[in-house]
Amino acid sequence: LLNQKESVANNTLKSALKKDPANQQLRLELVRYYLIKKEYDQALGILDKGLALNEKDILLLKTRGEIKAFRKRYDEAERDFQRILDLRPDIPLGFMEMGKLSIAKDKKEEAMKWFKGAYGTENGWQAAIPALMETYIRNDDIDSALQLVREEVHKRPGSAAAYYYLGKALALKKDLEKAGEAFSRAIDLAPTWLQPYRGLGEVYLKQGKISEVLAKVEELYNKSPSLAAGTNLAVLYEYNGQYNEAIETYKTLLEKYSNSPIILNNLSYLYAEHSEDSKDLKKARYMVAQVLARKPDNADFLDTAGWIEYKLGEFNSAWSYLQEALNKSPETGIINLHASIVAHELGHTDQAMDHLEKAIAQKLDPQTREKAMALKEKWK
């Protein structure tokens, strides 16, 4: 499939599944193939057959429900997610899927109840806190979001996620000093997680301190070229508009950390966003393919793949990747922005405007918001 041999990929997967019909991984790979091809009925048929073999397979139920929700067959999706709840009320999955379905139906209060249900399960907080936080933010209820994550930090002082979301809420409250401290603590706890670096970079940009901090991080990286220092440096270069320096830093890191999905993805995205050289774009396509081979359900990685295809002029392929990304993360601003641009290229003007409005409704970084608003004015 990665080598564009689609019919061979399809035949191979179907042959393998025929020999081992109970193999969940094979079945989901074939479903993924049909989703990329936008053959949704075929994908659902493969899932139906799998569930006929094992009606209690919650991963197949989840996948079928997600496809039905994406196609706005909400009642059918709800039945699949309710079945997950009936089978496993002790895990967050069913609650989370019901909450996301409520968001898709624009029932935010109902979504909150489901996400709180997920929070009440064992270890459910890891999935529920980000969802609750984002729902509060979408409702412009930053105070409730801040209270929620402060309680989490108190309960879980070793959680990078708790500090990251604390930083996010504080930044929205314009308490930039404390937001920076929270993001820095998240980085200390999870040095390979990208999002806190981005949060910290945005804080420095708003404070007008990015050049000052950049000099310090450069010095630190030159003394000790660790993955954390290098990632921090690359993100700061990106926020400071030094895209070539960011690319070179990631390339250097890649020599040492060749299997890092984050570095592969970030370098691929920078090539897509800032290089017009088709060789760089094809290199980016290859790198993100390696990432997706290991993590095919990651919405950010699917978004990167879609954006690379768009830059290569492969609009249908781009649309397929972005639809899959939205299936995993329907409310993410940057994914909706990319989807709006590709939809417009394909002549789907109403759909393009819908995705653009969704993107604008999110809390975007200043550069992305400026781009989105410019497109809205242009497409009027």
Side-chain angles (χ1 to χ4, degrees), residues 97-284:
E97 293 300 331
M98 290 292 260
K100 287 189 280 186
L101 183 64
S102 298
I103 291 286
K105 294 191 288 186
D106 201 29
K107 295 182 177 180
K108 296 187 179 72
E109 291 302 316
E110 185 179 294
M112 293 293 288
K113 292 176 184 175
W114 287 116
F115 294 145
K116 286 175 181 176
Y119 183 85
T121 63
E122 187 175 359
N123 293 321
W125 67 274
Q126 297 177 62
I129 290 299
L132 286 166
M133 170 85 176
E134 293 298 335
T135 307
Y136 280 132
I137 290 171
R138 278 195 292 270
N139 288 340
D140 288 320
D141 188 0
I142 310 304
D143 288 333
S144 293
L146 188 55
Q147 181 182 344
L148 173 74
V149 289
R150 276 181 169 151
E151 289 172 0
E152 282 308 301
V153 165
H154 180 71
K155 287 181 194 173
R156 311 177 208 279
S159 167
Y163 277 101
Y164 167 70
Y165 283 103
L166 176 61
K168 196 170 179 179
L170 288 165
L172 290 170
K173 290 291 285 184
K174 302 193 181 336
D175 191 342
L176 299 180
E177 200 65 39
K178 288 183 179 176
E181 291 172 7
F183 286 133
S184 295
R185 181 61 181 142
I187 289 168
D188 290 341
L189 291 166
T192 61
W193 185 24
L194 181 68
Q195 292 307 112
Y197 293 106
R198 292 203 176 282
L200 191 58
E202 193 170 332
V203 165
Y204 289 148
L205 190 64
K206 288 177 179 177
Q207 289 176 315
K209 291 166 55 175
I210 199 157
S211 297
E212 171 193 339
V213 174
L214 189 50
K216 292 178 183 176
V217 176
E218 280 177 332
E219 183 181 354
L220 173 65
Y221 179 66
N222 289 331
K223 286 180 182 176
S224 177
S226 66
L227 178 60
T231 304
N232 198 1
L233 181 59
V235 169
L236 290 173
Y237 277 141
E238 187 179 350
Y239 271 96
N240 205 37
Q242 295 175 251
Y243 303 117
N244 288 334
E245 287 85 347
I247 287 170
E248 289 304 316
T249 302
Y250 280 129
K251 283 167 68 176
T252 301
L253 288 170
L254 199 58
E255 291 173 9
K256 189 174 180 181
Y257 305 100
S258 58
N259 292 321
S260 168
I262 291 297
I263 295 172
L264 286 165
N265 178 71
N266 292 358
L267 180 54
S268 299
Y269 189 80
L270 281 170
Y271 277 143
E273 193 72 353
H274 302 291
S275 178
E276 300 298 325
D277 188 335
S278 63
K279 289 182 181 178
D280 285 340
L281 291 171
K282 287 175 182 176
K283 196 185 302 179

Side-chain angles (χ1 to χ4, degrees), residues 329-343:
S329 187
E331 301 299 318
T332 301
I334 191 65
I335 302 176
N336 274 287
L337 177 59
H338 289 160
S340 73
I341 293 167
V342 175

Side-chain angles (χ1 to χ4, degrees), residues 360-375:
I360 290 169
Q362 305 307 311
K363 302 293 181 182
L364 302 170
D365 66 74
Q367 291 172 318
T368 306
R369 178 164 294 281
E370 185 179 342
K371 184 177 182 179
M373 296 308 293
L375 282 175

